[in-house]
Amino acid sequence: HVVASRSLRSPPFAPSTMAGMPPYTKCDLSIQARFAELPQGGKIMAEYIWVGGNGELRCKTRTLEAKDAKAAPADLPIWNFDGSSTEQAPGEDSEVLLKPCAIYKDPFRPGSPNILVLCDCYKPDPDGPRGLGAPIPTNTRVYANQIMDKVASHEPWFGIEQEYTLFEPDKKTPYGWPKNGEPGPQGPYYCSIGTENAFGRAVCEAHYKACLYAGINISGINGEVMPGQWEYQVGPCEGISSADQLLISRFLLLRVCEQYGVVVSFDPKPIPGDWNGAGCHTNVSTKAMRAEGGYDAILKAMERLGAPGKQEEHIAAYDPSGGLDNQRRLTGAHETASYKEFSWGVANRGCSVRIPRMTEKEKKGYFEDRRPASNMDPYIVTGKIMETTVLPDC
């Protein structure tokens, strides 16, 4: 799964095996910039991106013709990688194929029409179409896309709020926190300004611009309740494009942090104690919900989400560890509802699902599922919500 990465689980990072910080030699990005300005001789660089065996994002680059910058995903070449190095194939049969799914502009290689290519993964089959066999087990996009195709006439929109926490390179100290200590209690950090409150804004702003350049429908950013924690929102996006865009937005964030020399964690409870966790609240609407009188369709969705057994199903799907991550986060405190039972309410951030006040007033709009963890797999989550709330009507 996209979110099954060990690096995203608790503890948020593996303990360092080195005594103290290593003496990293920092690469001078201004030198790299000189080469970035060179012409490319009618060629482009295509960064193929996929989800690895533990949910981590992987990538590698190939050279294509300049005309391929305007190609559809289906017209780009299938590529392959060594699946035994990503825990996605055995060593004796290690080839895994990359099928392009979506294309975005590359903000890290501007000046030429270089591209980012989101892919999903398949076994090879010489007799299959384009040599593609069955999807490998970690390919969660395939099933989600099947669900989205079935509910397409309902025009599902998603807006996903991705929270994340910045860390120092030691992978232990949240960015802006004193080493081996804690800052002042929560309160002044949410949507804050000032050196004493907002830690890591440069990363957040650079990521925002990178998303806009790439073509991600990023709709905003803000500082979060815990210091060193930030949020951005992707959407509204329709169907499978929502999960696609969220994955690429995570890729862009990781790459931005790489350049700044900081580490990003998607762990849903990166610091234990009286500190807010991190979620990936998922806002949902359908054509019926957005239409006049759509509140009835929203209430029907609440009934289906609250049906016997559904809370357990969704909690198991909303983080990579089958719900264990959310047990640390969904405690009933820090603006969460308990993972043990389903609840919904109007303007209530202590419920499993929040219905905005204006949605109630206008009798149409959307709902916000507040249960997904920050390290959730967006294919699994958006597919699961549609499977429960909309698919029974198809």
Side-chain angles (χ1 to χ4, degrees), residues 204 207-213 215-221 231-235 237 245 249:
C204 191
H207 175 250
Y208 198 170
K209 276 293 191 76
C211 285
L212 289 171
Y213 180 89
I216 300 301
N217 191 24
I218 184 171
S219 52
I221 58 173
E231 176 189 300
Y232 64 91
Q233 303 90 34
V234 172
C237 301
Q245 290 197 31
S249 76

Side-chain angles (χ1 to χ4, degrees), residues 46-80:
E47 189 83 13
Y48 277 46
I49 302 163
W50 72 96
V51 179
N54 292 297
E56 76 286 3
L57 291 172
R58 304 267 183 162
C59 64
K60 63 176 185 172
T61 311
R62 69 180 296 166
T63 303
L64 299 176
E65 298 298 324
K67 63 179 177 61
D68 292 322
K70 298 181 179 180
D75 295 327
L76 292 181
I78 303 293
W79 206 9
N80 65 75

Side-chain angles (χ1 to χ4, degrees), residues 161-165 177 186 190 223-231 265-281 325-336 370-375:
E161 306 170 24
Q162 177 69 68
E163 295 178 341
Y164 61 92
T165 309
W177 287 41
Q186 295 183 154
Y190 174 69
E224 267 303 328
V225 176
M226 191 183 92
Q229 191 179 85
W230 294 83
E231 176 189 300
S265 170
F266 297 105
D267 188 87
K269 188 68 175 179
I271 301 297
D274 194 17
W275 301 102
N276 272 37
C280 216
H281 303 159
D325 283 348
N326 260 335
Q327 287 186 21
R328 296 184 287 117
R329 168 179 161 258
L330 299 180
T331 62
H334 303 109
E335 299 180 286
T336 69
R370 298 177 57 80
R371 296 170 293 175
S374 52
N375 58 358

